[in-house]
Amino acid sequence: MIRETAVSLFEERGYDVVKVEEIAAAAGVSHMTVFRHFPTKSALVFYDEYDVRMLDLLRERPVTTTIPAMVLGVYRDMIGVWLGSGDELTHAQMRVVRANPVLQGAIWAETTKFQAAAVEVIAERFGEQVDRQAMQVLFAAMTAMMMVILLQWAAEDGAADIDAMIRQAVAVLHEIPS
């Protein structure tokens, strides 16, 4: 309820304008309750359960191909789950991020936490012979690619074909000479 209220206010009036006290009042709670659940104002935008679900998918996905192909499959699966859920809150979060350049930069800091956890999951699954730096690069590249796609998708009000955008982005990455 608090996050939904915050994101709604951010969309209506802008992230920079809305104060935590206003969110608390609109949600019918104290500002301390807001901070008990969300340690920062940006956490109201960035927190979701999808990172945990993606880590679970990384742990569970059968290994039938290369690690990069497996990781791309997990990202595709997660976007499918997200789009299939009809989760308007997540769509609204992306619109708020798209409208605010500061949040666009801050989201990278948030995604690095996921990336570090994902590298650990891969190391657990494949053993210590995994090149951690290569995995960090892989997750950073995939995350950046997906962020560009999702922000563009949000700019087009969800009308863009995300799967086609992913195929196009992967094709561009394949063109990079080694």
Side-chain angles (χ1 to χ4, degrees):
M1 171 77 171
I2 296 170
R3 186 166 48 121
E4 291 84 349
T5 300
V7 171
S8 177
L9 288 171
F10 296 153
E11 256 200 306
E12 286 173 23
R13 298 183 26 227
Y15 176 83
D16 294 327
V17 175
V18 177
K19 302 207 178 317
V20 172
E21 291 78 12
E22 296 172 271
I23 296 165
V29 299
S30 74
H31 76 280
M32 292 308 295
T33 298
V34 173
F35 284 120
R36 200 169 305 127
H37 295 281
F38 302 94
T40 64
K41 182 178 169 183
S42 64
L44 288 158
V45 177
F46 295 134
Y47 174 80
D48 61 42
E49 69 281 358
Y50 291 114
D51 286 354
V52 173
R53 290 176 76 182
M54 282 186 71
L55 293 173
D56 288 343
L57 286 171
L58 276 172
R59 285 183 189 96
E60 298 162 2
R61 189 171 187 91
V63 181
T64 58
T65 185
T66 65
I67 293 174
M70 182 187 85
V71 170
L72 179 60
V74 167
Y75 274 89
R76 278 191 158 135
D77 289 351
M78 200 62 232
I79 286 177
V81 167
W82 177 57
L83 292 176
S85 72
D87 184 356
E88 176 53 33
L89 177 62
T90 303
H91 296 205
Q93 286 172 285
M94 290 307 301
R95 290 190 297 267
V96 168
V97 169
R98 182 154 197 326
N100 189 298
V102 172
L103 287 176
Q104 289 176 32
I107 202 167
W108 189 255
E110 290 296 317
T111 62
T112 57
K113 295 174 193 170
F114 164 75
Q115 293 168 27
V119 168
E120 291 307 312
V121 168
I122 294 297
E124 288 169 15
R125 285 196 70 186
F126 294 93
E128 289 304 314
Q129 75 275 10
V130 167
D131 181 341
R132 288 176 182 267
Q133 181 180 353
M135 291 301 101
Q136 289 171 337
V137 169
L138 172 66
F139 281 102
M142 290 281 192
T143 301
M145 179 182 80
M146 291 302 176
M147 194 52 53
V148 168
I149 289 168
L150 290 172
L151 289 172
Q152 183 59 40
W153 176 83
E156 296 179 23
D157 293 323
D161 179 349
I162 286 187
D163 197 51
M165 294 170 81
I166 291 171
R167 283 192 308 276
Q168 180 183 18
V170 169
V172 168
L173 293 176
H174 279 291
E175 292 178 15
I176 299 172
S178 55

